[in-house]
């Protein structure tokens, strides 16, 4: 316990120390645990060929996407390394992140990749994963898909993009599995999709369900997507007390040639969020929006609907200049009742720089909030700061999913 009142010039140091000491929950990643086999991405070649860096490569190099995507993984990494890290200064968020990972393992940040490749090749993935989580200051990561057996470092999420966004390309898979479903949603399709999802909920025990939605997402609307949400997905979420994560604002493949790097962003009409929260007041919604222009109104909606929990600075927003603006307006309008960040890491070691950047960016923002409070007449203690950071990066999430899962997170046991 530390009830001693902090002086003005002690606040920032206390915030930095408490952020550093806290173990965060990373609520949205594309990581996979080691025991799932070679589907998880890790190591220097995956770090350097991250789709954020592929997008940046094409701005500095005259190689075409067609030529690039025909290269081997090693050749792609060598080209990106030379172009973005040697021939130019790695000043972008994504390039600096690779430098931060190399530095975290005392690896050279210039020259070629020989030593880095040898280092990562020498690592045992399960041990490496624990070391990476320790360096990142996270106790657990929530995966976007799948695991079928419990692993305290990783929590599963049931991802619904193929059902909700690409039913026309996937309905036959369910039919082949014996579900009485139809391309046009007729007959028993809604009930059968519910049965399919209930089976996966039973198997996976997901902490929440999730879907990425386009900037044009509308609700209500006479679409199969909305029928699936209303008749199949949200009733299960309610029955099983599982939150639903809606990540809205993607313009998919604005440049198809760039493949995973080809998605863009669009401002969404948040009346869809308003109506869903109204129509399903017992359901709980994690909401993350991709457009910077939607962020302030998301804070307003979060003040109207307690079943709406804003989370993260997603994707193109995960840059200090935008994270600062979003976090400040969230604190001003929501206090600590939101989740500031998730990593969205696709490559294991990215959590090291993504969470270091979050701590670095949030320190002055949180410190300024406490300074203002102190100047307005209420003293601030280190206990206040510790409690608030725990709420922002752990208990807001745990409480939102808690009714679904009696989860004793590994953080409460010595790792
Ligand atoms: O839909 C998602 O989960 C997005 O985060 C990804 O599709 C996106 O490519 C990404 O990894 C952004 O950081
Ligand atoms: Zn993601």
């Amino acid at each position: 316990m530390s009830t001693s009142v902090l002086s003005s010039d002690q606040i920032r140091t206390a915030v930095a120390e408490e952020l550093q000491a806290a173990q965060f929950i990373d609520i949205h990643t594309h990581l996979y645990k080691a025991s799932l086999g070679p589907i998880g991405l890790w190591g220097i070649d995956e770090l350097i060929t991250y789709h954020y860096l592929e997008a940046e490569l094409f701005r500095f190099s005259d190689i075409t996407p067609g030529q690039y995507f025909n290269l081997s993984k090693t050749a792609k990494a060598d080209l990106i390394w030379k172009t973005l890290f040697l021939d130019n200064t790695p000043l972008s968020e994504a390039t600096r992140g690779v430098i931060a990972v190399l530095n975290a393992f005392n690896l050279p940040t210039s020259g070629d990749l020989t030593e880095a490749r040898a280092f990562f090749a020498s690592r045992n993935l399960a041990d490496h994963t624990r070391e990476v989580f320790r360096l990142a200051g996270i106790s657990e990561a929530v995966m976007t898909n799948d695991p079928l057996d419990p692993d305290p470092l990783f929590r599963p999420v049931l991802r619904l993009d193929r059902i909700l966004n690409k039913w026309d390309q996937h309905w036959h898979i369910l039919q082949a599995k014996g579900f009485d479903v139809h391309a046009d949603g007729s007959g028993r399709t809604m009930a059968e999709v519910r049965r399919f999802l209930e089976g996966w909920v039973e198997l996976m025990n997901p902490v929440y369900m999730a879907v990425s939605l386009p900037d044009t997402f509308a609700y209500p609307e006479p679409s199969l997507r909305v029928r699936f949400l209303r008749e199949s997905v949200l009733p299960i979420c309610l029955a099983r007390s599982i939150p639903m994560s809606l990540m809205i604002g993607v313009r998919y493949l604005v440049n198809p040639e760039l493949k995973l790097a080809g998605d863009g962003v669009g401002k969404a009409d948040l009346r869809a969020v308003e109506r869903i929260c109204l129509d399903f007041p017992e359901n709980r919604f994690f909401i993350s929006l991709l457009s910077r222009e939607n962020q302030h109104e998301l804070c307003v909606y979060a003040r109207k609907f307690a079943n709406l929990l804003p989370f993260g600075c997603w994707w193109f927003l995960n840059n200090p200049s935008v994270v600062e603006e979003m976090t400040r307006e969230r604190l001003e309008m929501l206090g600590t009742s939101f989740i500031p960040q998730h990593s969205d890491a696709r490559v294991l070691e990215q959590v090291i720089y993504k969470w270091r950047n979050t701590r670095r960016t949030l320190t002055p923002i949180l410190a300024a909030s406490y300074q203002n409070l102190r100047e307005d007449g209420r003293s601030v203690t280190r206990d206040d700061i510790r409690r608030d950071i725990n709420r922002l990066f752990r208990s807001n999430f745990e409480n939102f999913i808690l009714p679904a899962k009696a989860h004793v997170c590994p953080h409460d046991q010595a790792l």
Side-chain angles (χ1 to χ4, degrees), residues 38-111:
I39 56 172
L41 304 179
W42 63 291
I44 190 62
D45 288 291
E46 295 298 349
L47 282 167
I48 292 176
T49 56
Y50 184 32
H51 69 75
Y52 289 29
L53 294 176
E54 291 178 328
E56 293 177 36
L57 168 73
F58 299 124
R59 300 191 52 72
F60 286 83
S61 165
D62 55 14
I63 193 170
T64 67
Q67 293 164 338
Y68 169 81
F69 285 112
N70 277 329
L71 298 174
S72 68
K73 174 68 77 175
T74 305
K76 286 174 181 161
D78 285 338
L79 176 62
I80 291 176
W81 177 253
K82 180 179 186 304
T83 307
L84 299 184
F85 294 83
L86 302 182
D87 295 351
N88 292 281
T89 308
L91 290 177
S92 73
E93 191 71 3
T95 53
R96 264 194 307 110
V98 174
I99 297 296
V101 172
L102 289 167
N103 188 49
F105 291 108
N106 300 312
L107 293 167
T109 57
S110 60

Side-chain angles (χ1 to χ4, degrees), residues 266-270 289 291-299:
K267 185 175 185 297
D269 179 347
L270 298 198
L289 305 175
S291 169
R292 177 183 177 194
E293 286 68 25
N294 278 133
Q295 299 307 324
H296 186 265
E297 57 185 318
L298 177 60
C299 291

Side-chain angles (χ1 to χ4, degrees), residues 28-30 50-52 144 159 161 210-213 247 250 252 260-261 263 290 313-316 318 342-346 350 354:
H28 172 69
T29 77
H30 297 260
Y50 184 32
H51 69 75
Y52 289 29
T144 296
R159 188 69 187 253
D161 291 43
V211 65
S212 155
L213 293 166
M247 301 183 294
V250 187
Y252 301 99
L260 204 50
D263 294 338
L290 193 50
C313 300
W314 184 23
W315 203 338
F316 307 113
N318 190 6
H342 63 276
S343 73
D344 228 325
R346 279 183 175 272
Q350 291 174 335
K354 286 174 182 268

Side-chain angles (χ1 to χ4, degrees), residues 13 109 254 300:
T13 302
T109 57
V254 294
V300 174

Side-chain angles (χ1 to χ4, degrees), residues 14 35 68-69 77 83 150 182 200 212 222 250 268 303 306 340 378 393 405:
S35 61
Y68 169 81
F69 285 112
T83 307
H182 305 277
W200 276 99
S212 155
V250 187
R303 290 169 62 91
R378 192 257 203 207
F393 290 101
K405 314 270 169 290

